[in-house]
Each structure stands twice: as C-alpha cells, then as structure tokens.
Amino acid sequence: MMQVEFLSPYQGQLSALPHQAPLACGNAVALAFCAELSQHLMRDAQYRQYPELVALGFWLRDASIKQWFEMPGGLCKPLGTVLHITPNNVDSMFVYSWICALLMGNHNIVRVSNSDNPVKQQLIAAINGLLVQPQFAELASRNVFVSYARESDVSARLSLLADARVLWGGDASVMAIRALPAKARCRDISFADRWSAALIDANGLQASQLDQLAQALWRDSQPHGQMACSSPRVLFWLGDEQHQPALWDKLAALAAQQDDGLTRANNQLVNQQLLAATGKGQALYRGRIAVSSILAVDEQALDWFCGDGVFYLLPLTQLQDITRHLDEKIQTLSYMGCERDRLLDLLRDPAVRGVDRLVPIGQALDFAPLWDGYDLLSQLCRQVRYV
Amino acid sequence: MTDLHAQIDELIQTVLPYGEAQGDKRARLLPIFNQLHQHHLQACGDYARLTGDVSAADSLEALPYVAVRLFKHLRLQSIAAGEVFKTLQSSGTTATTPATVVLDKFTAARQSKALVKILQASLGNARLPMLILDSKAVLKDRALFSARGAGIQGLAMFGRDHTYALDENMQPDWPAIDAFAEKYAGQAVLMFGFTFMVWAHVIEALKQANRRLPFENAILLHSGGWKKLIDQQVSDAVFQAGATEWLGTTQVTNFYGMAEQVGSVFVQCSHRHLHTPMCAEIIVRNPFTLAPCAVGETGLLQVLSVIPTSYPGFSLLTEDMGTLLGEDDCPCGWHGRYFSVQGRLPKTEVRGCSDAS
C-alpha cells in the first residue's frame, strides 16, 4: 500500500487511473472546466488577495484560451497518463502545465508537496469544488492530486504508470526523478533551475514613466515571493542611472502595500552581507526591497537569492554587453525602453545559449504553452502524420 | 592588539558578571567594541567589505552587526591560517548547514574563562558530582569538533566524577545511571544536557520506565533550541516541573548561547529571566526595520560579546526572537539587561529556486 494522501475527489486505485477510457485532444469537458474555473477565480472575492490566482483566472477565460490554445498540426491524440511533480515553493505554477495536459486529453496524476502554502491550498480547493460537480465527473475520474513524502518510493511506482513526466523542481530534484525507471517511450519535460532578468534601457527614460515601470516590474516580482523561474532577479540597466533611487523608492512603496513577513528583513540582510563580504555585490538600497549592484551574474550569488524584494542590479554600458551574461540558465528576459527586434538580433547569435522567453516588463509571469523552450501542447500529445 | 586583549581579559576576569549598572557597563563596553570593530576591519577583508568603513560608533546600537547565517556560508576569520587553534562546527538539531567558527588560543581561552566566571554566579564554586545527560559518543569524533561536544567539554569543568547518562544510541545507560545514583543518593549533584535531549531522551525515558532519580538536591543546567519542544507544547514551566519530578532537581537553570559566540552565555536567574553578563550585551531589533526596540518589545536578538578576536563575531544579528524585559530592575538583584527568548524565526533558510520536496 502506497503512503499517498488524495487531495482531490478521485476514488479508486491510482494504478487503475491509466485504464480509464481516453478523452480527445481539445475535449469539450476540459474546455468547459477551464471556463468554470476562470469565472470562479475571477468573481469570488476570496481570491483577490492572491494576484497569481486572479491572473490564472484571467488566463483561463474563453477569449484568452482562444488565443493560446491552438491544436498542433496533424491528427492529435493524447499521450495517456501524465505524472506531474510540482515544486515546493512556487505555489501555483504547476497548474499551467496541468491545464495543458488536461486540454490535450491526458489522464493526470499531480504530485503536490505537503507544505501548507495558502495559495496552493486555495487553488486545490477551487479545483476540487468543480471536480465534484456531475458535469466534470469524466475529469474527476481521470485527474488526481496526491501528496506523499519525497523519500517514499511512490514517485518510483508512479513513474512506471506514466507516458510523460512533467518535472518541476531544482536540478537535483529533477535529476532524482529522471533517474527513476519509466516506460521506454515516456517523455520527460523538465523545468529545472532557471533564473530571469529584466532589461531597462534608461536612455531616454523620463521621470513620468517611473510609476508605470515600477508597477510593471512589481507585477512580475510580487507573485510567488519572487521565487518563480520567471520572476526577475537581475535588473540589467543600460545607460543613465539618475532615475534609479526614485525607482527603488517606488518599488519599495509598492512592496509595502502587501503584508510583510517576519523573515524578510533578515533574509535581505543576509543576502546583501553575503554579496558584500565576498565582493560579489554592493548594497545600494535597503528598505522594503533590497538592491545590490553586481558586476557579473554569479552562480553563488543566484544561489543566495531569496526573493521577496531582492534585486541584483547589473549596469551595462552598451546593449550588446548583455549577451555575455545570458547563460543557459536564464529563462525570461523582460525589457523596457528598448526595441524587441534589436534584442532578437542579439539573441540570434548562436553563442547566446540562454533566454527562452522575451517579453515586455510586466508580462514575465504570463504563461503561454510555449514555455522554457518547449511547446507543451505538442509535447503533451502524439501527432499522427498522415499522407 | 595586546592592549585590547588586556582590556578584554580584565573585563572578563575582574568584574562581577552582573555587578555593574547598565550605564556604567555600557560606558565600559563601548570603547572595547569600537576597538574590536577596528581590529576586524583590519584583520578580516570579508568583514571590512560587508560593513564598509564605519568610523567609531557613539553607542552600542550604532555598531555594525553581522547576520549570524553568514557563518554557515563563509569561513570568516581574523587571524592567519597558522594561528588557528580550533575550528568549531555548529550542529544544531534542526539546522541543515553547520556554521564554522574559527578560534585561536586567545579566543578559546577567553571563552572558557568567561563561561566559568558567568556560571559560578549561578552554580557556586563547588565542583559537584556531574551527570551529563548525553552520550559520550558526541565527544569521540575529534575530526568534526561539534558545538555539542564543545558545550559538554566546556561545562565538564564545573563538575567531577563525570558520568554519561546515555549510551551511543541515545538510550539510557541504566547501569551507569544506577551506579551514579547509588553513589550520590541524597547528595547535591550537577546535571547538564541540551534541552531537547534532556526532555526527549532522559525525562521521557524515566517517565516511561517509571523510575525517579533519587537526588534531593540536583542542579540541572540546560541549553539549546526549544523549537522541537515548543512543537510538543513543552514550555519552560512544563520542562522545569518534569525535571523536578523525575530528576530530583531543586534548581533548573536554562542558558541561552550559540556556537557563534561561545563563552558569553545568558543565564536564567532565580526569576527565570535571561541576564546579560558584563562581557556581553543584548539589543532587540524590530524584525521589519531592524531598528532597536525599547523595553517590552519583541524582535530579533542582536548579541554582542567582547570575546571574539579570531573571527568577526563580536556583534551578531541572530535569527532568534526575544523580548527585552528590563534593565537593572530584575527582582533577582542582578544588574544589566534581562530578556526572554521566544524561539527561532520561522523557516529562516530559504531554499534556492523551485524545489520539489
């Protein structure tokens, strides 16, 4: 008997789940479920304090789905059963890959960590509230949220059932799961350690634009405690530095609008002192947010990053200098004040091994099925070529 | 440097631990801490970089402080490699990464001297038969000199006929306990252990076996984290009652200290308040702004100690929450600041990025 706690209304054996009759790619029940979940998250006042859940609701609107949900070419068939291993401290990101798998008609086993994160609990409660309704019975029997201890052998057993594994987590966690035997044709979609950055081209930046910039940057930084792979950690700053102090003040004021945690100030102090002591960075600002200037993106400095209003400022004298900082671990580069096509030209250089997403500041967390370099929709289905 | 060493030694050795009123104490401490700051600025590049060039502070509150977690990530030292006498590794029961504290013979000697001076105020000068509520195995691994082992060794000098109550599996060593109990039944004895071990491995074990130790006048000295006990709803009062019932104690004294500042411990008085000895000071800081707190306020504890010259740890911001209770006016009669500790900050070690567990 597996030591598994079921967090959703699924009844029966986990090993029986793969044997449920398949649903179609783009099935109407999954689409209806998305619409219902969207309305629930956007209308119910209890979710207002969680911007990541409201954003999820917005993303699941019919109009939004029509924009991003496009069936891959050919004849599409579900893969079968997808095992999702979700991250511990980024509370709701996993739902995006689950929705993609659901829309492609797959059965899903979603392993949720046993930490009692309020955003995650609210989200699972919202999903369960729909799954128990009769019109979603087909989904309730094909999707299960479970929780179990990491050290148990449950991941190993579930791996044997999976036709695809979606692995969120640090590099070590991803490698540990990938080492577990799976079916010969099982696909692994790994979202391993990544970091993200924002680029501010301050040449021509006006004081009147600072409010908008601060709001867009904070929209990207506030959710998930700034610990999502797409949350900006490094700020590349090109040119004129005169507006920096005002921007920090505005960011700090935005941060101060949310509840402050007991550990925040100490974590920021630790971060700034570690950077300063090792000569990797210099504290520029400490208030509700903490900004340190750095000279290079350093693996250890990224390791010491603790989110919750920490920014590493990396000044650039010319735009092309950015390319040497874009290592293979950078996921999202968000930008402001700079033309997208100029950046695309830089990214075209084969020597640039990083950046899977290039979006304006303010959209760093907006999920799209093209994520981390994968097209999740085509990865989570089987495309039949016919002639 | 020699002058600074002499001043520190004099402070530790000649002044009674709780003998001076707060104003006099601070007037004496400030010049020493300013010299310590200058010393570490010159001797430790890491410290100089992280504090910047801060000139003389006009109050203890204005001195720089190092976040205690830095000792888990960096080897901070203010002496040449050849002067290293001992490297202490913390082994907190709940910590994941140990802290590294580098000692030279001066700092190590001062730690022992200060500890003796401070604890004699609570224990008296007699060396009592001593039951150590831990396993001797903790001392065996000399390669990794743990803070637990160092704590036991440091405290051992207060007793004689040292007997270890637990075997290498942390189970009661009944023959050893029985022999000790028979030899000293009805007499005054000293016991020492780490708070959680004492509760979980000794008091609980005695309870389970329904065996009370036959002492009429035992002093229990204990220290270490309360986190696991708070989780089990064991308060200071519950702990004291358990010790009195099962160990036969008439005095249960807790002290607060840490591997990063060995020696200058904060000991509970007869009114169960933790007191700052002459060679140390406590500042409580608001956890959100890090500004100093007034009497009655709760915040992060900053600990200052004149002892460390081999590593830049004379002023540390801990991750413990505490409350400043008063100055010079504890009914026990001891001078200086007194305070209480509420426990560790929640989840102080932030994991890297998205980590599945």
Side-chain angles (χ1 to χ4, degrees):
Chain A
M1 184 64 198
M2 296 184 191
Q3 297 295 308
V4 179
E5 188 188 350
F6 283 52
L7 306 176
S8 59
Y10 178 83
Q11 288 174 340
Q13 297 285 323
L14 277 179
S15 53
L17 184 134
H19 304 299
Q20 296 284 335
L23 299 177
C25 287
N27 66 86
V29 188
L31 283 164
F33 178 86
C34 291
E36 282 285 321
L37 184 58
S38 167
Q39 294 212 347
H40 182 66
L41 293 176
M42 287 177 64
R43 282 195 190 155
D44 204 321
Q46 64 175 311
Y47 302 114
R48 298 243 166 93
Q49 57 178 313
Y50 305 116
E52 47 273 69
L53 295 186
V54 177
L56 172 64
F58 196 74
W59 185 72
L60 288 170
R61 285 171 310 134
D62 274 341
S64 156
I65 287 183
K66 282 198 182 82
Q67 279 178 16
W68 59 257
F69 182 61
E70 200 179 322
M71 283 289 226
L75 167 64
C76 293
K77 309 276 290 179
L79 287 178
T81 299
V82 180
L83 172 64
H84 303 253
I85 305 284
T86 75
N88 192 17
N89 56 351
V90 178
D91 28 57
S92 58
M93 284 304 285
F94 69 88
V95 78
Y96 289 96
S97 53
W98 173 62
I99 291 283
C100 290
L102 183 76
L103 285 172
M104 297 318 284
N106 296 291
H107 305 348
N108 297 287
I109 302 173
V110 185
R111 190 259 164 162
V112 176
S113 76
N114 22 27
S115 72
D116 45 2
N117 178 304
V119 179
K120 183 166 56 196
Q121 285 175 344
Q122 290 275 355
L123 178 59
I124 289 177
I127 291 169
N128 285 345
L130 298 181
L131 287 180
V132 292
Q133 295 176 14
Q135 72 265 36
F136 299 123
E138 280 178 294
L139 301 183
S141 60
R142 290 168 176 82
N143 290 275
V144 58
F145 289 79
V146 294
S147 176
Y148 54 83
R150 168 146 71 169
E151 36 309 331
S152 72
D153 66 344
V154 179
S155 288
R157 296 178 186 221
L158 294 180
S159 282
L160 296 173
L161 302 177
D163 298 293
R165 297 184 291 192
V166 176
L167 309 175
W168 296 85
D171 289 356
S173 312
V174 168
M175 299 294 277
I177 303 282
R178 289 184 61 178
L180 299 173
K183 293 180 185 177
R185 278 167 54 80
C186 176
R187 296 178 188 178
D188 283 345
I189 299 163
S190 305
F191 299 108
D193 283 337
R194 307 300 300 273
W195 61 278
S196 292
L199 164 68
I200 296 161
D201 184 345
N203 295 311
L205 182 66
Q206 304 295 313
S208 58
Q209 295 172 288
L210 289 178
D211 276 322
Q212 195 200 345
L213 172 58
Q215 277 165 16
L217 201 49
W218 191 243
R219 185 156 60 238
D220 289 345
S221 308
Q222 191 269 328
H224 315 293
Q226 206 188 348
M227 294 303 281
C229 44
S230 315
S231 314
R233 299 172 187 218
V234 174
L235 303 180
F236 293 110
W237 190 283
L238 180 62
D240 194 349
E241 298 181 352
Q242 61 159 326
H243 292 301
Q244 284 176 6
L247 180 63
W248 311 148
D249 283 338
K250 286 179 191 298
L251 280 171
L254 289 167
Q257 289 174 9
Q258 68 176 99
D259 290 346
D260 198 356
L262 265 184
T263 55
R264 191 266 313 157
N266 183 59
N267 283 338
Q268 290 182 348
L269 178 76
V270 170
N271 176 269
Q272 292 199 323
Q273 289 196 338
L274 282 170
L275 292 173
T278 52
K280 293 177 192 294
Q282 213 172 358
L284 287 184
Y285 185 94
R286 181 154 76 237
R288 181 59 182 76
I289 64 163
V291 185
S292 296
S293 67
I294 58 170
L295 294 173
V297 180
D298 176 275
E299 197 180 333
Q300 200 168 34
L302 287 174
D303 204 40
W304 290 335
F305 183 85
C306 58
D308 206 1
V310 167
F311 294 98
Y312 294 170
L313 179 77
L314 205 162
L316 300 174
T317 43
Q318 49 178 359
L319 184 62
Q320 49 267 46
D321 290 347
I322 198 174
T323 53
R324 64 191 164 95
H325 302 295
L326 303 179
D327 65 24
E328 60 185 5
K329 290 208 161 188
I330 180 170
Q331 183 213 49
T332 298
L333 180 64
S334 52
Y335 58 92
M336 194 241 181
C338 170
E339 278 177 28
R340 185 193 66 185
D341 290 352
R342 272 186 78 197
L343 287 166
L344 272 179
D345 282 342
L346 291 177
L347 296 185
R348 273 197 187 95
D349 180 350
V352 177
R353 303 190 60 199
V355 185
D356 291 329
R357 303 175 64 236
L358 182 66
V359 298
I361 293 179
Q363 298 178 28
L365 299 182
D366 294 1
F367 192 87
L370 191 57
W371 191 260
D372 245 24
Y374 292 105
D375 176 16
L376 275 176
L377 296 177
S378 62
Q379 289 290 317
L380 290 167
C381 76
R382 192 162 57 78
Q383 286 172 266
V384 180
R385 176 176 183 261
Y386 50 90
V387 182
Chain B
M1 249 319 260
T2 22
D3 183 45
L4 176 59
H5 279 233
Q7 286 181 58
I8 296 171
D9 287 341
E10 191 199 340
L11 188 82
I12 291 171
Q13 288 184 351
T14 62
V15 189
L16 284 174
Y18 313 103
E20 287 197 11
Q22 187 66 7
D24 298 338
K25 172 180 169 177
R26 287 204 151 204
R28 241 181 125 129
L29 286 177
L30 184 60
I32 294 180
F33 280 124
N34 269 320
Q35 289 174 71
L36 277 167
H37 171 56
Q38 290 302 325
H39 157 65
H40 292 293
L41 274 182
Q42 284 157 23
C44 177
D46 291 349
Y47 179 78
R49 277 187 293 271
L50 87 86
T51 55
D53 183 26
V54 183
S55 41
D58 55 6
S59 69
L60 296 185
E61 280 73 11
L63 287 163
Y65 43 82
V66 175
V68 76
R69 206 189 306 160
L70 261 65
F71 290 87
K72 293 184 176 219
H73 294 282
L74 306 175
R75 183 184 171 99
L76 298 168
Q77 68 181 61
S78 306
I79 48 173
E83 293 167 45
V84 176
F85 167 66
K86 200 160 30 177
T87 302
L88 194 63
Q89 299 265 317
S90 79
S91 61
T93 44
T94 43
T96 47
T97 329
T100 301
V101 180
V102 180
L103 304 177
D104 63 359
K105 63 180 189 336
F106 297 109
T107 302
R110 250 180 253 129
Q111 291 180 337
S112 312
K113 283 178 195 157
L115 189 67
V116 168
K117 196 82 182 166
I118 295 165
L119 287 183
Q120 277 179 348
S122 301
L123 304 177
N125 295 347
R127 283 158 64 103
L128 299 172
M130 187 168 181
L131 186 63
I132 296 166
L133 306 180
D134 210 320
S135 162
K136 202 170 188 171
V138 180
L139 298 177
K140 282 194 183 136
D141 191 359
R142 296 288 304 179
L144 200 86
F145 193 71
S146 76
R148 209 165 121 206
I152 292 170
Q153 278 202 337
L155 267 300
M157 68 177 92
F158 292 91
R160 60 185 167 85
D161 196 4
H162 306 107
T163 304
Y164 288 81
L166 299 175
D167 64 20
E168 57 275 19
N169 302 316
M170 294 300 284
Q171 298 297 316
D173 183 347
W174 293 115
I177 295 172
D178 288 342
F180 185 87
E182 197 175 325
K183 199 165 167 190
Y184 299 111
Q187 295 186 39
V189 298
L190 175 64
M191 298 177 188
F192 169 71
F194 291 95
T195 310
F196 176 73
M197 314 284 170
V198 172
W199 183 263
H201 296 283
V202 182
I203 295 177
E204 291 282 358
L206 288 167
K207 234 190 254 188
Q208 211 151 48
N210 197 24
R211 298 171 68 157
R212 287 177 176 77
L213 298 187
F215 306 109
E216 282 158 25
N217 185 16
I219 301 173
L220 169 63
L221 195 60
H222 67 103
S223 185
W226 281 90
K227 190 185 175 302
K228 289 183 182 172
L229 290 183
I230 291 167
D231 293 348
Q232 295 173 26
Q233 318 273 315
V234 178
S235 64
D236 179 55
V238 171
F239 185 92
Q240 193 192 3
T244 305
E245 181 175 358
W246 297 96
L247 304 176
T249 53
T250 49
Q251 179 187 337
V252 179
T253 299
N254 180 220
F255 68 87
Y256 171 65
M258 61 205 72
E260 295 84 354
Q261 263 186 14
V262 170
S264 51
V265 293
F266 305 93
V267 182
Q268 239 177 7
C269 69
S270 53
H271 287 75
R272 313 206 70 71
H273 298 142
L274 296 166
H275 279 257
T276 53
M278 195 57 207
C279 61
E281 181 62 312
I282 283 282
I283 295 169
V284 178
R285 291 192 178 268
N286 178 297
F288 304 106
T289 64
L290 305 185
C293 291
V295 170
E297 292 180 347
T298 299
L300 285 173
L301 293 173
Q302 178 191 348
V303 291
L304 295 108
S305 167
V306 299
I307 295 174
T309 52
S310 60
Y311 65 98
F314 66 95
S315 171
L316 300 172
L317 187 68
T318 72
E319 301 189 341
D320 295 319
M321 296 288 285
T323 307
L324 184 59
L325 299 175
E327 287 179 0
D328 291 338
D329 58 358
C330 180
C332 75
W334 286 353
H335 287 104
R337 286 190 158 183
Y338 58 101
F339 64 103
S340 61
V341 177
Q342 270 78 53
R344 216 28 86 80
L345 274 181
K347 207 180 129 197
T348 41
E349 272 178 277
V350 178
R351 315 291 273 275
C353 110
S354 42
D355 190 36
S357 81

